[in-house]
Amino acid sequence: MNITTLSFILLSVMAVSSGIMMIRSKNPVHSILWLIVVFFSISGHYILLNAQFLAIVNIIVYAGAIMVLFLFVVMLMNLNADTEPVKNYRLQLIGVISGGSLLLVILSALMKMDSKQIVQMKVGDAGLIKNLGNVLFTNYVFPFEISSVLFLSAMIGAVIIGTKE
Amino acid sequence: MNNVLQIAWLIPILPLIGFMINGAGRNVLSKGISGFIGSAVVFASFLLSVYVFIQVKNGNTHVAHYFNFISVDFLKIAFDFKIDQLSSLFLLIITGVGFLIHVYSTSYMHEEPAKDFAKYFAYLNLFVFSMLILVMGANYVIMFIGWEGVGLCSYLLIGYWFKNNDYTNAANKAFIMNRIGDLGFLLAVFWLIAKAGTVSFDEVFSAATLAKLSTTDITGITLLLFVGATGKSAQIPLYTWLPDAMAGPTPVSALIHAATMVTAGIYMIARSNILYTMAPLTQGVVAIVGLTTAVLAATIALKQNDIKKVLAYSTVSQLGYMFLGLGVGAYTGAVFHVMTHAFFKALLFLGAGSVIHAMGGEQDMRNMGGLKRYMGTTHLTFLLGCLAIAGMPPFSGFFSKDEILAAAYANNPVLWGIGVITAMMTAFYMFRLYAMTFVGKFRGTHEQEHHLHESPAAITIPLIILALLAVIGGWVGIPEVFMHGGHRLEAFLEPVFEQSNAITVKHELSHATEYMLMGISVAGALIALLYAWNKFSKYEKTEVPSAGFSKLVENKWYVDEIYNAIIVQPLRSLSVFFNNVVEKKGIDGLVNGTGKAVNYGSRQLRWLQSGQVGAYVLLMVIGILVLFIIQLFL
Amino acid sequence: MDIKAYIVLALTLFTIGIIGVLVRRNAIIIFMCVELMLNAVNLLLVAFSKMHAVSTAAKALPTFASDAQIFVFFIMVVAAAEVSVGLAIIVMLYRNTHSVDVNFLNRLKN
């Protein structure tokens, strides 16, 4: 058991358990915090795969900006554990069962697959920022520009929706 | 002769037409017209029957083929009429006595409203039609059609005054007990089809088919047919409906439950005589059941106080005699007794009807007495009927009963002995009835006494005709001991029974023995007769409750109560159980449950359109799941 | 590290996200579960990119491993935009109905 495998397992456990905690906690603020932990563990995975750029970007954008936005909204509405609506127990059960069976179905299909592709970890220059930037600004420069238009429209949309009439 | 074939179908069709006219037009026809139509069609059938009889007597027997009724695989059942000695004899009895009763009814039922009057005659005609089909059928299936038809008409006529619950219960009882017997009949027919492949009389009784049937087959078939006969002809254990059937109008009792329907069982066995001769076991059963029934019914009749009930039990007892005759192989004797019994029993019933009419509806003999002063014709004809049934020579009952008793002696003296005792009881209770009704002091109320009068001609003329027949009817069957070649009936019916006669070992009794048997039975009956006459002409009404054997007999041996406990109550609790558990919870639950399930389902389906986003997502996930499963595993 | 391990991990996270969407009634939490699902997908994409890096390098072909990571980048971009608009909508709904309960949002009923 080398260190790579160990860290993989550790990070996976952290991610999955935080995910479960996130959907289980009554308090929305706690859920947000657990989600942040998930993002951190996923970033950890990225680092393990030597996708350095993405790891950092994940932290900055997701955990830093998006989650903070969520937190602002939750604080704004003053939600806490008491006001949290709880779904009908039966429906919860049905939900869990259907989700679980979906997982099982796909996993069982997966088990039939017997390829032995391995993933390059820790090394590899595919994730280096130099290479990414290169690819981004040569092959994908058009989507890059369009995404700025996307942001613009999102901002305008958010403002329009948000103004009080 | 072609003429017979051409008219044979008319004989049953005419009463059917009468039924249809009276039935359809019962709201518009007047009493006179419906009575006339009802009687006229039967009279026309009678005339045709006479013609047929004469033809048959000259040796022309036929099977008239009309159309193929059932034709499946190997089984061919044709709608045929068999016109031979046996059926033509019965035709005469049915149409002749039937006609007289129709005429009688026009006067007896005249108090009924016109609609019910027409209904009565419609039912009566339908009955005659069914009975004619029964005796004319050329195979067991056609016979069964008539068999069922008479059962139905019996039900309709017993329950004629349907507003009275007791009467309708009696009608139900009759029909249900008949049905139980019919089951036996049907099983026998099925067995016959399975083993012999045919139900036609000519084919079944042919030597070829008989060779195909094993002894077990024949014994089984004959026993099952006999079960049918016990239901229709009121033998043990299916006899209790007959006394209760007295709820119907008296002419109905006379026609159906004395002269015709109840003799259907005897007709059927006489027709199947070769089968019975080949099954000695069944014959023994028939004889013993018949004799036991005769004794039982006679004991019950000793203590009955309703005039019609006495006659009903007497009918059961006499039918027992007929079955005894069949059981010991005296087929001619049994048929002879059918004929004479039809005459004197119809006479007795019609006479009783006349008495009841005069008494304004009273049927209890304890309230009658001394009626001979008021009703001369009725009295005389009734007396002749009583003498006939008691077996006094030279009346008809003597000849027929004696023939059966002689055959019983030849078979087994014990049977004869019990038969004689029963004959003595018969004489006793009949003359008890006679004496309590016609002799002595009048015990009724004063208004009844003022109302007493002789009945009109429409009632007395049939009585006279029947009395005449009861007197001379026996003279077609004078036994060998009295007159050589005197038994004209036996000679006439010989072709029908020749197969049986060829097989049976004849026990010839010496003339001396026969005289002795006759003498003993006549003497015994005479003693009983005189004793009863004497005792009951001095009858006073008492309120002494009976005890011991008297009580047992008076309560009809508690047979009805036993049946009630053993059969009716468990059946009733079973049906209650079915009602509560199966019907209400099971079937209703199923039906209501379907409704509830649909309700529930639709409520759940409404959820689809609920607008709840969560529901939509769930459905999406489930859909993806299903698609994955189909894609990956199927 | 076998690719299957990453597939299983990503699937697990994805399923947890789905279960969260089905189980929770709070609109915001549901939104967050959607984000979780997106992240699971991102992880899988990156893993596949590295897998391609290995397999194509073995065959000495030009590698397209970076493309998947660019894709992940764009997913994040879109996610960010979507979050901002989505939260704006939720705030509006809260202003109108004073609740973030999904069951109240049944305007699609008719």
Side-chain angles (χ1 to χ4, degrees):
Chain A
M1 184 73 68
N2 51 16
I3 190 79
T4 316
T5 320
L6 196 63
S7 22
F8 174 79
I9 291 173
L10 211 64
L11 285 168
S12 312
V13 169
M14 199 163 93
V16 171
S17 50
S18 316
I20 293 176
M21 284 314 295
M22 182 201 91
I23 62 177
R24 286 289 301 161
S25 54
K26 295 277 186 296
N27 196 335
V29 178
H30 290 179
S31 294
I32 296 178
L33 294 176
W34 283 117
L35 194 58
I36 295 180
V37 173
V38 174
F39 288 153
F40 270 104
S41 52
I42 290 186
S43 295
H45 273 291
Y46 288 158
I47 295 178
L48 205 53
L49 289 168
N50 207 20
Q52 304 154 354
F53 174 62
L54 281 179
I56 305 297
V57 166
N58 202 2
I59 302 284
I60 296 173
V61 170
Y62 260 112
I66 295 178
M67 284 301 118
V68 171
L69 200 55
F70 269 109
L71 212 53
F72 278 162
V73 173
V74 167
M75 299 297 188
L76 196 65
M77 296 185 200
N78 213 7
L79 297 174
N80 51 23
D82 301 329
T83 59
E84 185 69 15
V86 173
K87 216 161 181 165
N88 189 354
Y89 178 66
R90 218 168 4 123
L91 285 172
Q92 280 186 343
L93 192 64
I94 294 175
V96 169
I97 289 175
S98 16
S101 31
L102 189 64
L103 178 65
L104 284 174
V105 165
I106 301 184
L107 280 182
S108 55
L110 191 65
M111 288 306 128
K112 290 189 194 170
M113 192 179 90
D114 46 31
S115 64
K116 280 245 176 236
Q117 311 271 30
I118 47 167
V119 176
Q120 188 187 50
M121 300 178 81
K122 289 203 291 194
V123 293
D125 50 338
L128 295 177
I129 192 159
K130 183 173 82 169
N131 295 333
L132 274 181
N134 210 357
V135 175
L136 184 61
F137 287 112
T138 51
N139 293 339
Y140 298 106
V141 66
F142 188 59
F144 186 65
E145 303 300 331
I146 299 295
S147 62
S148 62
V149 176
L150 177 70
F151 273 131
L152 185 64
S153 60
M155 278 194 291
I156 296 175
V159 167
I160 290 181
I161 292 174
T163 44
K164 287 200 196 159
E165 292 295 332
Chain B
M1 174 88 59
N2 282 341
N3 285 344
V4 171
L5 290 175
Q6 277 169 358
I7 63 163
W9 61 277
L10 274 175
I11 297 180
I13 289 295
L14 284 171
L16 185 67
I17 294 176
F19 158 70
M20 289 198 278
I21 296 178
N22 272 333
R26 67 184 181 279
N27 287 324
V28 296
L29 292 172
S30 75
K31 282 196 252 190
I33 295 188
S34 48
F36 178 75
I37 292 177
S39 313
V41 289
V42 181
F43 187 64
S45 286
F46 173 68
L47 292 175
L48 292 171
S49 305
V50 170
Y51 178 74
V52 168
F53 179 77
I54 294 174
Q55 291 298 323
V56 170
K57 196 150 173 299
N58 291 336
N60 290 318
T61 59
H62 300 277
V63 174
H65 177 74
Y66 292 110
F67 58 90
N68 276 333
F69 188 40
I70 294 177
S71 191
V72 174
D73 200 19
F74 63 86
L75 183 63
K76 298 219 179 316
I77 303 179
F79 197 95
D80 292 345
F81 284 159
K82 185 170 175 62
I83 316 235
D84 70 350
Q85 291 84 0
L86 189 62
S87 56
S88 59
L89 181 68
F90 267 83
L91 281 179
L92 277 181
I93 299 175
I94 297 167
T95 51
V97 176
F99 169 64
L100 291 172
I101 293 181
H102 275 73
V103 170
Y104 181 97
S105 306
T106 54
S107 173
Y108 190 82
M109 304 292 287
H110 75 90
E111 280 160 16
E112 296 287 316
K115 190 171 75 149
D116 293 338
F117 192 80
K119 183 172 82 162
Y120 173 84
F121 274 95
Y123 286 161
L124 219 56
N125 277 349
L126 185 66
F127 170 81
V128 174
F129 165 72
S130 310
M131 191 72 202
L132 290 171
I133 297 278
L134 197 159
V135 299
M136 285 176 84
N139 56 60
Y140 282 102
V141 173
I142 306 299
M143 183 197 267
F144 190 66
I145 296 176
W147 191 276
E148 290 292 293
V150 295
L152 171 70
C153 294
S154 171
Y155 164 79
L156 289 171
L157 285 164
I158 295 173
Y160 174 70
W161 287 304
F162 57 86
K163 298 203 173 117
N164 185 322
N165 260 346
D166 288 335
Y167 294 173
T168 50
N169 282 343
N172 277 347
K173 188 169 173 179
F175 193 72
I176 291 172
M177 287 190 129
N178 256 218
R179 239 22 207 124
I180 298 175
D182 292 347
L183 182 64
F185 192 105
L186 268 178
L187 287 174
V189 171
F190 293 153
W191 195 330
L192 200 57
I193 293 177
K195 289 288 174 174
T198 172
V199 289
S200 150
F201 293 142
D202 287 337
E203 283 172 34
V204 171
F205 303 145
S206 69
T209 321
L210 289 174
K212 267 199 272 179
L213 299 169
S214 72
T215 316
T216 330
D217 288 333
I218 296 187
T219 311
I221 292 174
T222 47
L223 273 175
L224 286 170
L225 285 174
F226 179 59
V227 169
T230 54
K232 189 67 77 191
S233 303
Q235 297 297 294
I236 292 174
L238 298 171
Y239 73 92
T240 52
W241 64 269
L242 194 85
D244 287 358
M246 296 300 113
T250 310
V252 167
S253 306
L255 180 62
I256 297 184
H257 307 127
T260 41
M261 183 179 98
V262 291
T263 59
I266 291 124
Y267 171 78
M268 186 258 300
I269 294 186
R271 179 59 83 194
S272 322
N273 60 81
I274 181 63
L275 289 177
Y276 279 87
T277 315
M278 289 174 76
L281 178 68
T282 316
Q283 278 194 312
V285 170
V286 170
I288 293 187
V289 169
L291 189 63
T292 319
T293 312
V295 176
L296 182 74
T299 55
I300 299 177
L302 291 172
K303 275 277 175 189
Q304 289 297 311
N305 289 319
D306 183 333
I307 193 172
K308 283 176 75 174
K309 287 264 164 61
V310 177
L311 293 174
Y313 282 107
S314 166
T315 306
V316 176
S317 180
Q318 295 300 311
L319 288 168
Y321 259 110
M322 294 177 215
F323 279 104
L324 173 65
L326 292 172
V328 297
Y331 296 112
T332 314
V335 174
F336 190 19
H337 202 57
V338 167
M339 190 174 87
T340 57
H341 178 261
F343 297 148
F344 55 67
K345 195 44 73 63
L347 168 64
L348 288 169
F349 264 111
L350 294 184
S354 174
V355 166
I356 295 171
H357 203 66
M359 293 284 294
E362 174 70 65
Q363 292 183 216
D364 193 330
M365 293 190 295
R366 294 174 292 192
N367 294 332
M368 301 182 192
L371 291 181
K372 75 175 175 189
R373 284 190 287 282
Y374 303 93
M375 309 174 71
T377 320
T378 309
H379 165 249
L380 188 61
T381 52
F382 201 89
L383 180 59
L384 291 173
C386 287
L387 286 171
I389 195 175
M392 290 292 117
F395 299 109
S396 53
F398 163 70
F399 293 104
S400 53
K401 198 179 282 194
D402 215 75
E403 190 171 332
I404 293 177
L405 284 176
Y409 184 83
N411 191 304
N412 186 342
V414 175
L415 296 176
W416 173 84
I418 301 179
V420 168
I421 294 177
T422 316
M424 288 169 64
M425 282 198 278
T426 307
F428 184 85
Y429 66 67
M430 281 316 297
F431 274 87
R432 168 175 175 264
L433 188 156
Y434 168 76
M436 279 176 83
T437 312
F438 288 100
V439 183
K441 271 194 327 178
F442 182 71
R443 293 180 293 274
T445 65
H446 274 279
E447 314 101 67
Q448 284 173 326
E449 197 167 357
H450 284 296
H451 190 243
L452 287 175
H453 61 277
E454 183 56 83
S455 304
I459 290 187
T460 51
I461 291 183
L463 287 177
I464 295 173
I465 298 178
L466 283 170
L468 210 62
L469 287 169
V471 172
I472 66 168
W475 297 349
V476 296
I478 302 178
E480 281 291 311
V481 290
F482 288 147
M483 188 166 102
H484 181 66
H487 209 317
R488 309 240 273 288
L489 188 66
E490 185 169 348
F492 177 69
L493 286 175
E494 172 154 349
V496 181
F497 300 127
E498 61 185 345
Q499 270 180 309
S500 291
N501 290 337
I503 303 183
T504 38
V505 177
K506 266 223 159 305
H507 299 270
E508 279 299 338
L509 296 171
S510 69
H511 282 207
T513 322
E514 268 204 63
Y515 280 129
M516 183 187 72
L517 298 175
M518 264 187 241
I520 295 179
S521 60
V522 170
L526 195 60
I527 294 173
L529 183 162
L530 290 171
Y531 174 57
W533 194 328
N534 188 30
K535 179 172 177 191
F536 287 102
S537 47
K538 303 185 220 122
Y539 181 77
E540 304 270 334
K541 253 197 293 196
T542 52
E543 297 296 332
V544 176
S546 36
F549 186 69
S550 256
K551 185 149 184 252
L552 183 67
V553 161
E554 199 170 290
N555 283 314
K556 305 170 282 168
W557 296 78
Y558 295 108
V559 172
D560 270 325
E561 285 78 5
I562 296 174
Y563 279 170
N564 203 27
I566 296 180
I567 297 175
V568 175
Q569 289 300 16
L571 213 56
R572 194 167 281 166
S573 40
L574 187 70
S575 73
V576 163
F577 164 74
F578 272 126
N579 187 33
N580 286 340
V581 174
V582 175
E583 177 74 17
K584 288 200 183 126
K585 293 196 193 128
I587 298 178
D588 277 355
L590 196 65
V591 171
N592 287 347
T594 316
K596 276 196 216 142
V598 171
N599 246 349
Y600 177 75
S602 61
R603 244 188 294 133
Q604 301 301 50
L605 277 179
R606 245 192 334 150
W607 187 62
L608 265 179
Q609 289 239 311
S610 59
Q612 309 280 22
V613 182
Y616 296 160
V617 177
L618 178 62
L619 286 168
M620 212 164 60
V621 171
I622 292 177
I624 294 174
L625 185 60
V626 170
L627 282 171
F628 268 133
I629 291 178
I630 294 175
Q631 179 62 29
L632 293 171
F633 298 117
L634 295 174
Chain C
M1 216 49 242
D2 202 9
I3 187 67
K4 276 203 224 165
Y6 276 102
I7 295 181
V8 172
L9 173 63
L11 267 176
T12 314
L13 283 172
F14 189 76
T15 317
I16 292 176
I18 289 184
I19 292 177
V21 167
L22 296 174
V23 167
R24 298 301 294 250
R25 256 165 84 173
N26 193 335
I28 300 180
I29 308 291
I30 292 177
F31 211 175
M32 285 183 350
C33 295
V34 174
E35 296 302 314
L36 178 58
M37 286 198 262
L38 282 173
N39 261 276
V41 171
N42 287 350
L43 178 60
L44 195 58
L45 274 169
V46 171
F48 271 126
S49 82
K50 297 304 279 195
M51 182 188 92
H52 268 285
V54 167
S55 61
T56 50
K59 299 171 195 165
L61 285 169
T63 173
F64 293 105
S66 332
D67 295 0
Q69 304 201 358
I70 301 293
F71 193 20
V72 171
F73 177 67
F74 279 114
I75 290 180
M76 287 190 199
V77 163
V78 170
E82 158 221 342
V83 164
S84 59
V85 173
L87 282 176
I89 294 176
I90 288 182
V91 168
M92 279 316 298
L93 278 170
Y94 179 74
R95 262 200 228 149
N96 283 343
T97 63
H98 278 282
S99 149
V100 281
D101 190 345
V102 163
N103 278 359
F104 284 171
L105 308 173
N106 54 3
R107 294 288 171 262
L108 283 170
K109 194 156 141 185
N110 301 321

